[in-house]
């Protein structure tokens, strides 16, 4: 309609939702990402009898030299908000070059009816326009990549490269009672401050009996102990963001930086790609499909 006295009105429900979400989040004060605060968050949902425990949230980082906390990530939780934020707490707590004491959060419970419009994507688009939320473009929100992506070469600006796992982090509550290796593996997986993935089935899991030398060990000590009880064709590999254990005949992975092979521990410099956009969960990466085969390391 080109006439000066008339026009066309288009109602944008998604824009209205985005702006209202951003405005409501702006009213909130960031709180430290601690277990105590997440317990309070869960109690709030119970006390207010919320029908939906899902929602959207923001993560902030307090960095030296800055008066204000920086908005670094926007996410959603289809599971209870407290659970999703708890996953982030554990992930960040097990990393180097970053402290969980510097991480804060805000969140909003959102009715299930709005999940179909992906409210977090609306917020991400809004904040990216202002150059905010750097962690939404560096792989922070990605979960365990799975066996098929263990060959991936990370970009230099990937979250796992900037903040690699801390193998000197202690795990507590390990049982010193002798038990099958498989049970010890499950115990360590539950206690580890980052993902520890291992081969699902193996005869040695039932055949080998082990007992942790102490109820408290660093992850490095625990992995050294496990490796010493594995047959020759097995190895444990520490990647920048997680650890794996497989009967893979001592393959060398592009992004592996520490290899536990029997009594030997070998450090390697992981390969890196140039900085760039990091593929998030649910996206496709053409480069991954063209990764070269694994290199065999006989050391």
């Amino acid at each position: 309609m080109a006439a000066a006295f008339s026009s066309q009105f288009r109602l944008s429900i998604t824009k209205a939702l985005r702006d209202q979400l951003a405005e409501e989040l702006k009213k909130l004060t960031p709180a430290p990402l601690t277990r105590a605060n997440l317990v309070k968050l869960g109690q709030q949902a119970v006390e207010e009898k919320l029908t939906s425990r899902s929602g959207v949230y923001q993560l902030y980082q307090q960095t030296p030299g800055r008066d204000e906390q920086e908005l670094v990530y926007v996410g959603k939780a289809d599971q209870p908000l407290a659970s999703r934020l708890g996953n982030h707490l554990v992930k960040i707590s097990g990393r180097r070059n970053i402290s969980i004491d510097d991480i804060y959060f805000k969140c909003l419970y959102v009715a299930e009816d709005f999940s179909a419009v992906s409210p977090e994507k609306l917020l991400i688009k809004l904040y990216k326009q202002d150059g905010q939320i750097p962690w939404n473009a560096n792989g922070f929100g990605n979960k365990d990549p799975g066996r098929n992506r263990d060959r991936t070469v990370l970009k230099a600006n990937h979250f796992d490269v900037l903040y690699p796992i801390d193998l000197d982090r202690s795990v507590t509550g390990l049982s010193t009672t002798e038990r099958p290796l498989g049970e010890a593996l499950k115990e360590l997986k539950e206690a580890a401050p980052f993902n520890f993935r291992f081969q699902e089935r193996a005869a040695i899991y039932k055949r080998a009996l082990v007992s942790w030398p102490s109820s408290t060990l660093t992850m490095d000590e625990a992995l050294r102990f496990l490796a010493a009880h594995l047959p020759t064709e097995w190895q444990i590999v520490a990647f920048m963001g997680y650890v794996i254990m497989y009967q893979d005949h001592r393959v060398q992975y592009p992004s592996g930086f520490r290899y536990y092979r029997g009594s030997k521990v070998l450090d390697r410099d992981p390969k890196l790609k140039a900085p760039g956009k990091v593929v998030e969960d649910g996206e496709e990466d053409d480069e991954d499909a063209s990764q070269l085969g694994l290199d065999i390391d006989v050391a």
Side-chain angles (χ1 to χ4, degrees):
M1 297 182 182
F5 56 83
S6 66
S7 185
Q8 184 178 11
F9 173 72
R10 294 182 177 87
L11 177 62
S12 175
I13 298 297
T14 55
K15 182 178 183 300
L17 174 60
R18 179 199 69 186
D19 292 345
Q20 288 185 45
L21 285 171
E23 188 61 32
E24 290 302 311
L25 284 165
K26 191 175 181 179
K27 296 176 183 177
L28 302 175
T29 301
L33 184 58
T34 63
R35 294 189 184 280
N37 281 333
L38 296 184
V39 169
K40 292 179 182 178
L41 183 62
Q43 291 173 341
Q44 175 194 357
V46 173
E47 292 170 359
E48 297 184 9
K49 299 179 180 179
L50 299 178
T51 57
S52 172
R53 305 292 174 86
S54 59
V56 295
Y57 59 90
Q58 298 175 328
L59 294 182
Y60 290 79
Q61 183 179 24
Q62 183 67 62
T63 55
R66 293 177 64 104
D67 295 331
E68 296 183 356
Q69 297 148 348
E70 178 187 6
L71 175 61
V72 293
Y73 187 77
V74 171
K76 71 168 182 176
D78 293 324
Q79 57 184 306
L81 270 170
S83 296
R84 179 63 172 156
L85 287 165
N87 291 340
H88 291 327
L89 186 153
V90 172
K91 179 173 185 173
I92 296 170
S93 296
R95 302 293 176 130
R96 291 184 280 134
N97 307 329
I98 192 170
S99 171
I100 191 62
D101 296 335
D102 295 328
I103 305 301
Y104 296 74
F105 76 98
K106 296 179 182 180
C107 63
L108 286 174
Y109 286 107
V110 178
E112 293 179 355
D113 295 344
F114 291 108
S115 61
V117 298
S118 300
E120 85 289 353
K121 291 184 179 179
L122 302 177
L123 290 171
I124 288 171
K125 185 176 181 180
L126 173 66
Y127 295 125
K128 277 189 174 180
Q129 292 174 356
D130 297 330
Q132 301 185 80
I133 55 173
W135 291 5
N136 281 93
N138 75 357
F140 167 74
N142 290 352
K143 304 176 181 64
D144 179 16
R147 189 65 172 141
N148 290 335
R149 292 222 172 188
D150 288 342
R151 305 181 181 200
T152 301
V153 178
L154 300 181
K155 292 183 171 69
N157 60 317
H158 195 288
F159 183 87
D160 292 344
V161 176
L162 299 175
Y163 309 108
I165 60 174
D166 185 0
L167 294 173
D168 292 327
R169 193 60 55 95
S170 294
V171 290
T172 60
L174 300 176
S175 174
T176 55
T177 303
E178 187 176 69
R179 84 278 296 288
L181 175 61
E183 293 183 16
L185 288 172
K186 291 178 182 178
E187 185 177 43
L188 183 61
K189 182 177 179 66
E190 288 295 321
F194 39 77
N195 188 46
F196 174 37
R197 171 165 37 89
F198 46 85
Q199 191 166 310
E200 289 187 9
R201 297 178 182 85
I204 194 174
Y205 290 174
K206 295 181 179 180
R207 185 174 67 247
L209 299 178
V210 300
S211 57
W212 295 110
S214 173
S215 61
T216 300
L217 297 170
T218 66
M219 279 300 297
D220 180 68
E221 291 171 338
L223 298 177
R224 288 172 185 263
F225 173 80
L226 290 176
H229 290 80
L230 296 175
T232 304
E233 64 272 17
W234 286 71
Q235 69 175 348
I236 299 172
V237 184
F239 291 80
M240 306 302 282
Y242 58 99
V243 174
I244 65 170
M245 188 186 90
Y246 284 95
Q247 184 181 11
D248 58 9
H249 300 278
R250 300 194 170 183
V251 160
Q252 184 168 333
Y253 297 88
S255 295
F257 73 89
R258 181 167 294 176
Y259 295 79
Y260 299 84
R261 296 168 174 170
S263 61
K264 291 184 178 181
V265 177
L266 308 172
D267 288 331
R268 295 284 188 268
D269 291 328
K271 296 180 180 179
L272 295 176
K273 293 180 181 177
K277 182 180 182 299
V278 176
V279 175
E280 300 290 325
D281 283 343
E283 295 181 340
E284 294 294 332
D285 187 355
D286 293 337
E287 294 181 359
D288 283 341
S290 62
Q291 290 294 332
L292 299 177
L294 301 182
D295 299 322
I296 301 298
D297 187 347
V298 297

